[in-house]
Amino acid sequence: MSLVSTITVADPLADPAILSPIQWGTRLASFKSRMVDESDPRVVECRAALAYWRCRRALDAERGHISPAHLDALIGHLREAVTA
């Protein structure tokens, strides 16, 4: 049985860390190879999880270098980047 058919994460608030970035990418590639539409909730979920991982990697790379004085501005940018 494939990963795509065994994992169903229907909750859009599910923790994106439930799968690794490679697993999310593989899942997305599987959906796209079957021509699943971009608006499909499973594709949207994969893209959101991959965005989470890209941001997390950037923050991890800058750990210890971000000034506490800039934290509020950074959080503000993150809030603006999130679509409601």
Side-chain angles (χ1 to χ4, degrees):
M1 192 177 277
S2 75
L3 174 69
V4 173
S5 63
T6 59
I7 295 179
T8 53
V9 186
D11 182 0
L13 300 177
D15 183 2
I18 195 168
L19 298 176
S20 71
I22 292 172
Q23 290 170 309
W24 282 113
T26 301
R27 186 171 163 84
L28 177 61
S30 176
F31 291 137
K32 296 312 294 177
S33 73
R34 291 183 281 134
M35 299 175 60
V36 175
D37 190 73
E38 282 293 317
S39 64
D40 185 285
R42 298 167 299 172
V43 171
V44 171
E45 176 185 43
C46 288
R47 294 215 182 273
L50 288 167
Y52 162 85
W53 278 106
R54 285 190 301 272
C55 289
R56 181 173 160 173
R57 277 194 299 263
L59 289 170
D60 287 346
E62 298 302 328
R63 188 178 307 266
H65 300 288
I66 299 171
S67 168
H70 301 144
L71 187 58
D72 287 338
L74 183 57
I75 290 170
H77 282 288
L78 283 170
R79 288 187 197 287
E80 290 172 10
V82 175
T83 57

